[in-house]
Amino acid sequence: MLEKIGRGELSIIESDAVLPSSSATHLPKSFHSPVRAAAIPSDSQPNLRPPAIQASAMPQHIHIHTPPSVSPNLDQPIEDDDDIKFSISDISLPRLIMTAVCAAVIIGSLLYIADRIISITTGVITGQESIEDIITPITGDIVAGYTVSDEYGIRPFHPVTGEPNVPHNGVDLAAPVGTPIYAVGKAGDKTTVKCWWDEDGGGWVVNQTAESYPGYVFQSLHMSENGCKEGESAAGEVIAYSGNSGLGTGEHYDFRVKINGEYVPPATKYLESAITGQPLKE
């Protein structure tokens, strides 16, 4: 074949054309693909050129599909930096105030507790108070057969009102309505009892003082309206009965202690005396 090409008997034709379908039906399958190079006799070369493709066979219109573009909403005003800063400050300001209030309450409570620890420790060292005055029950403890349902301290929120960081100035016992409450004091002490209604949610309140504890007030909240014995009583006598008055989630006994007008963590020994009637030891 190379010799024939060299003598001019064969020639090489370059073509990208595709034979029309009418002619392709009479040709072998090998002719259905584009012909890049073919060895064709020179004497028949003019007759084997593919017919010209008619212009009408070419596509008249080319459609190019493009995805729709998202155009910005020019009618919507764009906030400037001042508006953004104002909205952020407006949202965060209440949180900052709440955080500051909570921090102040926590710091105040810590300072108060530290002051009480120093005061009690000083009293223990000087012999004015005993180590038992420091011990106060916590939630889950058992005192005189009753479970402590809430301890002294700051509550995350009030169980009824939902107010956050509310101080609870007493110790709650899960005692049923009608549990007798006794006058607190040493054996032979005279106590003074006063009953009154607390409009801030404490219900019927019983205050008692004892001769051996000047400056102390032993307080009982949410008491029963009936059975409160005002006036003088001896330590160990029944002075009132627990109830479910005032603001609360259920019947319980709320015991508190004040020293010189300030609430302090109630010592377990005072709570035991109030719930059992046993006189305090010397």
Side-chain angles (χ1 to χ4, degrees):
M1 181 180 292
L2 295 177
E3 294 178 356
K4 291 182 179 182
I5 294 174
R7 292 194 301 269
E9 297 177 2
L10 294 175
S11 62
I12 298 175
I13 299 174
E14 295 272 348
S15 176
D16 290 328
V18 180
L19 294 178
S21 59
S22 60
S23 300
T25 55
H26 303 286
L27 295 176
K29 292 183 179 180
S30 60
F31 283 91
H32 289 181
S33 58
V35 178
R36 299 299 300 173
I40 304 175
S42 59
D43 54 352
S44 60
Q45 176 179 343
N47 297 329
L48 293 179
R49 288 184 176 274
I53 300 175
Q54 299 295 326
S56 59
M58 298 295 292
Q60 300 298 319
H61 302 283
I62 299 175
H63 298 279
I64 301 176
H65 176 73
T66 58
S69 60
V70 179
S71 59
N73 186 3
L74 300 179
D75 295 333
Q76 183 177 0
I78 300 176
E79 296 181 346
D80 55 17
D81 293 341
D82 294 336
D83 293 337
I84 296 175
K85 291 179 181 178
F86 175 78
S87 62
I88 294 176
S89 301
D90 186 53
I91 294 174
S92 60
L93 183 59
R95 294 185 179 179
L96 292 176
I97 295 175
M98 181 61 68
T99 302
V101 171
C102 294
V105 171
I106 294 174
I107 292 174
S109 300
L110 292 176
L111 291 176
Y112 172 76
I113 293 173
D115 178 71
R116 280 299 302 158
I117 292 175
I118 294 173
S119 176
I120 293 175
T121 303
T122 303
V124 171
I125 294 174
T126 59
Q128 296 176 356
E129 292 181 307
S130 66
I131 195 66
E132 293 180 352
D133 295 315
I134 304 175
I135 302 174
T136 183
I138 61 175
T139 302
D141 286 352
I142 304 297
V143 178
Y146 299 99
T147 302
V148 176
S149 57
D150 200 358
E151 62 191 61
Y152 177 94
I154 302 296
R155 287 169 166 167
F157 58 88
H158 194 280
V160 178
T161 65
E163 183 181 357
N165 299 314
V166 178
H168 183 230
N169 296 318
V171 173
D172 291 348
L173 291 183
V177 173
T179 301
I181 304 301
Y182 301 87
V184 178
K186 295 180 180 179
D189 270 354
K190 291 182 180 180
T191 65
T192 302
V193 178
K194 180 181 179 181
C195 306
W196 55 283
W197 175 261
D198 178 23
E199 295 182 354
D200 293 331
W204 285 104
V205 180
V206 177
N207 285 359
Q208 55 172 311
T209 58
E211 290 179 330
S212 299
Y213 295 91
Y216 280 65
V217 176
F218 304 107
Q219 195 173 75
S220 302
L221 278 68
H222 309 292
M223 302 297 287
S224 175
E225 180 180 2
N226 301 320
C228 182
K229 183 181 178 182
E230 284 195 308
E232 290 188 356
S233 295
E237 290 184 356
V238 176
I239 58 173
Y241 296 90
S242 65
N244 191 24
S245 60
L247 194 62
T249 58
E251 56 186 22
H252 66 283
Y253 175 58
D254 187 340
F255 179 75
R256 306 185 179 191
V257 177
K258 277 186 175 182
I259 300 179
N260 298 325
E262 299 290 338
Y263 283 109
V264 299
T268 302
K269 67 176 186 178
Y270 301 133
L271 178 56
E272 288 179 340
S273 179
I275 203 75
T276 64
Q278 295 180 358
L280 296 169
K281 298 179 181 179
E282 296 292 338

